[in-house]
Amino acid sequence: MRIAVETENIHPWTGRFISLAPGILLSCLVALAAFGLEAVEVHITEHRFVENLVLAILIGTAIRSLVHLPAAFNPGIRFCEKFVLEVAIVLLGASISVQALKAAGPALVLGIVFTVIAAIAISYGIGRGLGLKHKLATLVACGNSICGNSAIAAAAPVIDAEPEDIASAIAFTAVLGVIMVLALPLALVGLGLTAPQYGVLSGLTVYAVPQVLAAAQPGGVIAVQTGTLVKLIRVMMLGPVLLALGMTARAAASGAGAKVKLKHIAPWFIIGFALMMALRSAGAIPEGVVPPLAHASNALTVLAMAALGLSVDIRALGRAGGRVIATAVLSIGVLTAIALGLIFVLQIG
C-alpha cells in the first residue's frame, strides 16, 4: 500500500523524466560510441570518410537488430529522435548568414537557386520513377540537392518520414558523398576547369561543407573559397525548401479546401531556424558564439540519429537499398550536369 501511495505522489515531471531516462541514456551511449569511432578513424586514416552521424545510425541499427530492447526504452528513443532533432535544426540556423549573397552576386545566386530547385524536382522524379515512396524520394532529393545528411535530417520531421526511410536516405547518400569527394578532383584535369569553375562545381555537387573543402583543395585557395561560398548559399536554400515542404505536407494532410494554420505550414523548429538565421545575419549573435552553437547542433543531430538507428529494422534498409542507390547515383549525375551547364551559361572564368 505504501508503494502505491508513493507512486501516486510522484510529480508529473519526475514521472516523465523516469520514463524517458532509459531511452535517452542508451541514445547518448550510442552517440558517444559514434564520436569515438570517428576519432579512431581520423587517427588511423587522417580522414573522415564516415561521419559520426552515419556511424550513430549504423550502431543504433545494429543494436536494434541484434538485441531485443524492452519497451521501456521506446519513450526516450522517440524523444531524442524527434524533439532533440528539432532543437538541433534551430541551432543550425545560427551557422548560416545571408551576407554570402552579397559576395556572390545576383547572377550566381539565381543560378544556385535554380540548380537546387531543378535538382530537387528531377531527383524526386527519378526516385518515384524507380519505385521509391513519396517521403523517401523527397528525402533523397533534398539530401542530394542541398546539403546531404543535414538536409535529410531537417526535412524528415517536416514530412513525418518513417525512421527506415531516413536511415536509408542518409546511409546511401553518405556513401555517395564520400565517393564524390574522391572522384571530383578528376574533373579538374579531365575537363580542364579553372580554379573558380572547379570551386563552383565543388560547391554545387558535394554535400557537406567539410567535404567541399576537401574536394576543392586540389584546385587551390581560390577554388576552396569559391566552393565554400557557393556551398553556403546552397545551404541557405534549406529554409525555403523546408517551408515549402511544410506547406505542401500540411495542405495535403488537411485536405482540399481546409484551412491551414501557420503552425501547420511552419512548425516551431522551422520558425526557430529562420529566426536564428536572421539574428546571425543581423549581427545579433556574436561570432564567438557561432562555433559552439554549430558544435551543439552537430552533437544533438548525432544523438537524434543514434535514436533513429535504435528505431530502425535492418530488413527495411535492405528492401529499399538498390532503388535508393540508383536514385542517388542518377540524381548526383543530373546535379553535376546542371552545375556544369550553369558554369557555361554564366561564363565563369
Side-chain angles (χ1 to χ4, degrees):
M1 179 65 68
R2 181 181 301 176
I3 295 177
V5 171
E6 290 179 354
T7 302
E8 291 175 358
N9 290 334
I10 292 178
H11 192 278
W13 284 103
T14 304
R16 175 65 171 164
F17 175 77
I18 292 174
S19 68
L20 295 178
I24 293 177
L25 179 59
L26 180 59
S27 299
C28 288
L29 292 175
V30 172
L32 289 174
F35 279 110
L37 282 179
E38 184 189 59
V40 172
E41 176 190 18
V42 173
H43 177 73
I44 295 175
T45 67
E46 297 184 355
H47 292 284
R48 188 177 286 103
F49 292 111
V50 183
E51 297 177 326
N52 46 35
L53 187 149
V54 179
L55 290 170
I57 291 179
L58 294 177
I59 296 171
T61 301
I63 292 175
R64 169 62 75 176
S65 302
L66 298 174
V67 179
H68 175 70
L69 293 177
F73 287 95
N74 293 335
I77 290 174
R78 286 195 296 268
F79 175 83
C80 293
E81 182 184 332
K82 186 177 187 302
F83 181 74
V84 171
L85 177 58
E86 292 172 350
V87 174
I89 294 171
V90 173
L91 296 181
L92 179 64
S95 303
I96 305 173
S97 172
V98 297
Q99 305 305 326
L101 298 177
K102 297 179 180 179
L108 181 56
V109 171
L110 290 176
I112 295 171
V113 171
F114 167 79
T115 299
V116 171
I117 294 174
I120 289 177
I122 296 174
S123 296
Y124 176 79
I126 291 173
R128 295 294 283 164
L130 291 175
L132 295 185
K133 295 180 296 182
H134 161 68
K135 292 180 180 180
L136 180 54
T138 301
L139 293 178
V140 174
C142 290
N144 173 74
S145 307
I146 305 176
C147 51
N149 298 334
S150 297
I152 294 171
V158 179
I159 64 174
D160 296 323
E162 298 296 327
E164 290 82 4
D165 291 342
I166 305 171
S168 294
I170 286 181
F172 297 113
T173 302
V175 173
L176 186 59
V178 174
I179 294 175
M180 282 298 296
V181 172
L182 298 176
L184 198 61
L186 298 176
L188 184 62
V189 177
L191 299 178
L193 300 177
T194 64
Q197 290 173 340
Y198 182 65
V200 171
L201 181 63
S202 301
L204 282 175
T205 57
V206 179
Y207 295 147
V209 175
Q211 291 178 338
V212 171
L213 298 178
Q217 193 66 42
V221 176
I222 294 178
V224 171
Q225 293 174 344
T226 305
T228 302
L229 176 63
V230 171
K231 178 59 186 174
L232 290 176
I233 297 173
R234 188 175 160 208
V235 171
M236 278 191 283
M237 288 295 294
L238 182 60
V241 168
L242 292 180
L243 181 59
L245 289 176
M247 293 175 64
T248 303
R250 271 44 184 194
S254 300
K259 184 178 180 180
V260 181
K261 299 180 180 179
L262 176 61
K263 66 179 181 179
H264 296 151
I265 296 175
W268 75 272
F269 56 92
I270 296 182
I271 297 174
F273 175 91
L275 179 61
M276 292 292 280
M277 182 175 169
L279 291 174
R280 167 75 191 281
S281 302
I285 299 179
E287 289 299 320
V289 177
V290 173
L293 289 177
H295 289 312
S297 176
N298 177 69
L300 291 177
T301 302
V302 173
L303 175 57
M305 292 303 102
L308 174 70
L310 290 169
S311 304
V312 169
D313 181 353
I314 189 67
R315 291 169 294 184
L317 296 182
R319 288 193 294 268
R323 288 172 293 174
V324 174
I325 292 175
T327 300
V329 170
L330 291 174
S331 297
I332 199 65
V334 169
L335 180 61
T336 302
I338 296 175
L340 290 172
L342 179 65
I343 292 171
F344 174 77
V345 170
L346 296 182
Q347 298 181 345
I348 298 173

